[in-house]
Amino acid sequence: MKLTAAQALVAWLIAQRSETIDGREVPLFPAVFGIFGHGNVLGLGTALQERRDEIPVWRGHTEQGMALAAVGYAKATHRRQVGVATSSIGPGALNMVTAAGVAHANRLPLLLLPGDTFTTRAPDPVLQQVEHFGDATATVNDAFRAVSRYFDRITRPEQLISTLPQAVRVLTDPAEAGPVTLALPQDVQAETYDFPDALFEPVVHRVLRPRPDKRSLEDAAAALRTSTRPLLVLGGGVRYSGAGRTALEFAERHGIPVVETTAGRTLVPHEHPLNAGPLGVTGSTSANVMAAEADLVLAVGTRLQDFTTASWTVFPADVRLITVNTARFDAVKHGALAIVGDADATIRDLTDHLPPWRADAEWTARASAQRSTWDAHIDKLRAHTPGTPTYAQVVGIVNDLSGPNDYVMTASGGMPGELVGGWRATGGTPTMDVEYGFSCMGYELAGAWGAAMAHTDGLVTTMLGDGSYLMLNSELFSAAFAGHPFVAVVCDNDGYAVIARLQEGQGGAPFNNFYADCRTTHAEPPRVDFAANARALGCAVVTATDLDEVREAYARARDLAVRESRPAVLVVRTQPSSWTEAGAWWEVGVPAHLSGRTGYDEAKPRQVRYLGREL
């Protein structure tokens, strides 16, 4: 089949299929997000136009934003589908590097197809080319190497035959999931080759479920049998495996309290008696108290990053740690007993190795008791008070008015602590995306566009601060133009409030975070009219100033988004210094002369560096 390299790539994308958690067959690559320039418009752009009825192409308005939308799509489909983003060379390509970092840090599949300079070098230097004096082969696309699981530069059309299987391997393998970058020189995109027909035959990619090593299971079962205070930590890997129900049944069988990581949030119904709450800095005191008293931690599908572990001070020094992960890289961290395998398959196999054993009954009962205490705290934070609303109050209203199939998102600033710590899940399927691996400001709006495409069983609501809104709001217009509805709740508190909290809480002087502490030549600096801005970007807009208005306005925003098939933006002024606190430590560099150094010196000795020991 004689095709250009670009035509062959598009034909291959169309042929790839995927199987969802519930067994449905869907396109592996359901959408392409594109901004075209001289580096991709005639090659890849023409090929996509020729097959436009078979693979949707959505126009973005920043390369970073459209690639983040592709990431949001992958998360909303539990990694079963992969968004594609293409750009021209130079600045367009480099704009996608941040999105690649988001996908890389969060173990999410993303296919990036940036244009590249001419392999012939005939027109060197081509427009937007960055020249390296000592390396003629280097282009700006080499910046993707640091944030790609797989990188290739296609310098001959026939190279696609060998690289495409490797690309899809990374995109669909739970152990390797992450961004793939295929740099496409614009002259090669237009070159033809006689490709084998078999390359374009449909292929269904099913999630791999590697079974764990039997001896590792036996060791883990032996350790569990000697434990009286075990704790089950559920991470994002449980979500992507579809293992939430299996994990909960395992906990019920053995009376093990359960906590969730940020990526694992909403796996467990809030009212379940074994649910001790979310773990870590942005989690809950209930989960952190349980973690501090556990004698064994079984962590499934999690990297145990610093916000989850309170910079490794949330567990006691003598805790025994068992990790289950498809990626051995993550499983072996901190000297844990590592079990490498799919979360669902491993939990089922571990059940077979574990006789009728249960944790201490008093320990089991503590999960519900501790969570009840945390719930009472959240109830106080959500209680109606006069004046400017807090983040916790706004989250409470969104939580109250959301259904079990609705989907909530955030990424940066103070909102992750409010959603992770305070949200109460009503269903048994994951319905939250808190991008806290990279904590990318701007993901909240761009990622919501992608999530709204994918999550059609309920309404997507994204929650963000004014800083994130200003960082990247152009994809509001992309979503409005395309006709993808979601609600964006914009909480305006006059600046980068959560960093100001960190800065001032450690004894630093207020500086460059709140607008009042920033340099300006104006006696009365201008303010952003977020409502007018969102309206100009094609969104429906509602505003609110107090709690009663917030409740009514959010209900109206939901109705507008669905009825008008476009984003609805709710703008609300919020307090700048009221937060949900889990009482956990987070290690940041504190200079010796600041007052926060005393607390740093007290907490640092509690930090567990390596837990390797006989289980």
Side-chain angles (χ1 to χ4, degrees):
M1 189 180 294
K2 198 174 197 60
L3 299 171
T4 67
Q7 288 173 324
L9 177 55
V10 171
W12 179 84
L13 290 174
I14 294 169
Q16 307 310 299
R17 310 289 293 173
S18 178
E19 187 176 82
T20 65
I21 288 178
D22 59 6
R24 292 179 295 113
E25 186 179 311
V26 294
L28 178 62
F29 301 104
V32 176
F33 299 86
I35 295 177
F36 295 119
H38 71 90
N40 66 342
V41 66
L42 295 177
L44 191 57
T46 297
L48 287 166
Q49 183 272 333
E50 292 168 345
R51 307 292 294 270
R52 61 188 180 278
D53 293 334
E54 299 168 87
I55 184 167
V57 177
W58 302 100
R59 171 178 158 154
H61 290 85
T62 64
E63 291 85 358
Q64 177 183 332
M66 68 183 191
L68 288 174
V71 175
Y73 199 113
K75 182 69 173 286
T77 60
H78 314 305
R79 297 198 306 204
R80 296 309 200 274
Q81 292 181 282
V82 181
V84 184
T86 180
S87 73
S88 186
I89 67 175
L94 285 179
N95 282 346
M96 297 195 297
V97 171
T98 298
V102 171
H104 197 285
N106 289 281
R107 313 291 205 264
L108 292 169
L110 169 67
L111 179 57
L112 297 173
L113 304 175
D116 213 328
T117 55
F118 285 77
T119 58
T120 63
R121 303 183 189 171
D124 274 9
V126 70
L127 177 67
Q128 299 180 320
Q129 180 176 348
V130 174
E131 296 179 277
H132 294 258
F133 295 176
D135 185 355
T137 67
T139 75
V140 296
N141 285 335
D142 288 285
F144 285 100
R145 293 181 184 273
V147 286
S148 296
R149 292 278 187 216
Y150 183 82
F151 177 93
D152 197 3
R153 178 174 283 113
I154 307 302
T155 58
R156 294 291 308 152
E158 58 266 37
Q159 291 173 353
L160 288 172
I161 299 171
S162 62
T163 204
L164 291 177
Q166 300 301 328
V168 79
R169 166 185 62 85
V170 172
L171 294 170
T172 60
D173 187 343
E176 297 193 66
V180 168
T181 302
L182 301 182
L184 304 173
Q186 61 173 301
D187 52 344
V188 175
Q189 292 178 46
E191 292 182 15
T192 58
Y193 181 77
D194 287 323
F195 288 93
D197 293 346
L199 183 64
F200 312 115
E201 294 177 357
V203 178
V204 179
H205 301 276
R206 297 178 176 86
V207 171
L208 299 177
R209 296 195 181 278
R211 314 299 298 204
D213 174 69
K214 181 180 178 181
R215 291 166 299 180
S216 298
L217 288 172
E218 292 170 348
D219 290 344
L224 281 164
R225 285 195 299 269
T226 63
S227 170
T228 58
R229 301 186 307 281
L231 187 67
L232 180 59
V233 180
L234 303 184
V238 177
R239 169 183 182 162
Y240 303 133
S241 173
R245 184 65 250 172
T246 301
L248 202 51
E249 289 173 354
F250 177 84
E252 290 167 347
R253 183 177 295 110
H254 300 293
I256 305 177
V258 182
V259 299
E260 297 171 323
T261 72
T262 298
R265 279 296 271 125
T266 67
L267 280 164
V268 183
H270 178 76
E271 297 297 334
H272 195 283
L274 290 176
N275 182 11
L279 183 66
V281 178
T282 53
S284 61
T285 55
S286 55
N288 294 341
V289 166
M290 298 293 287
E293 298 178 12
D295 63 5
L296 183 144
V297 170
L298 175 58
V300 185
T302 172
R303 297 180 296 152
L304 293 173
Q305 58 115 283
D306 67 336
F307 258 72
T308 297
T309 62
S311 297
W312 283 94
T313 62
V314 75
F315 302 127
D318 60 350
V319 73
R320 297 174 293 171
L321 178 63
I322 303 171
T323 56
V324 175
N325 210 294
T326 53
R328 188 166 183 82
F329 178 89
D330 292 318
V332 302
K333 290 176 179 176
H334 297 279
L337 168 57
I339 305 177
V340 180
D342 169 72
D344 190 76
T346 299
I347 295 171
R348 291 179 186 276
D349 287 355
L350 183 57
T351 299
D352 293 339
H353 283 74
L354 201 58
W357 156 87
R358 289 184 64 84
D360 181 80
E362 183 178 346
W363 173 252
T364 301
R366 288 202 64 195
S368 181
Q370 287 292 336
R371 199 200 67 244
S372 294
T373 301
W374 177 252
D375 286 349
H377 174 65
I378 296 296
D379 288 340
K380 289 181 181 179
L381 296 180
R382 290 183 173 186
H384 193 289
T385 55
T388 305
T390 66
Y391 269 27
Q393 290 171 328
V394 175
V395 167
I397 289 172
V398 173
N399 200 169
D400 289 344
L401 297 182
S402 295
N405 293 323
D406 290 337
Y407 194 82
V408 65
M409 305 176 62
T410 195
S412 60
M415 194 57 75
E418 307 300 322
L419 276 187
V420 175
W423 191 265
R424 294 169 179 175
T426 56
T429 57
T431 51
M432 181 182 288
D433 175 5
V434 176
E435 192 289 287
Y436 223 45
F438 217 51
S439 189
C440 180
M441 296 181 71
Y443 175 79
E444 296 95 334
L445 294 175
W449 178 28
M453 290 186 197
H455 191 83
T456 56
D457 293 336
L459 184 64
V460 172
T461 294
T462 185
M463 306 190 70
L464 65 156
D466 52 305
S468 279
Y469 183 94
L470 291 174
M471 192 74 70
L472 188 64
N473 55 53
S474 55
E475 301 324 314
L476 279 174
F477 176 69
S478 301
F481 181 86
H484 295 121
F486 61 86
V487 176
V489 180
V490 181
C491 297
D492 179 9
N493 56 17
D494 259 354
Y496 302 141
V498 76
I499 295 301
R501 173 179 61 157
L502 173 64
Q503 181 183 62
E504 297 173 44
Q506 297 296 322
F511 179 65
N512 212 52
N513 285 309
F514 285 121
Y515 291 125
D517 304 318
C518 298
R519 182 184 296 273
T520 177
T521 60
H522 296 284
E524 294 186 13
R527 288 191 57 86
V528 177
D529 188 336
F530 293 101
N533 181 266
R535 191 173 291 112
L537 291 171
C539 301
V541 176
V542 289
T543 60
T545 56
D546 60 34
L547 280 185
D548 291 332
E549 288 184 358
V550 172
R551 182 173 293 274
E552 181 181 348
Y554 177 64
R556 184 166 173 240
R558 290 175 60 90
D559 178 68
L560 286 169
V562 174
R563 183 155 43 87
E564 300 182 8
S565 293
R566 59 174 174 157
V569 177
L570 165 58
V571 180
V572 55
R573 286 282 289 172
T574 52
Q575 291 186 23
S577 57
S578 178
W579 309 100
T580 299
E581 301 277 5
W585 183 63
W586 182 40
E587 182 173 8
V588 293
V590 183
H593 65 282
L594 295 184
S595 60
R597 183 68 190 203
T598 300
Y600 177 93
D601 290 337
E602 291 174 353
K604 184 69 176 174
R606 303 199 311 268
Q607 191 173 52
V608 178
R609 294 300 306 277
Y610 194 78
L611 292 167
R613 65 191 75 248
E614 290 293 329
L615 292 176

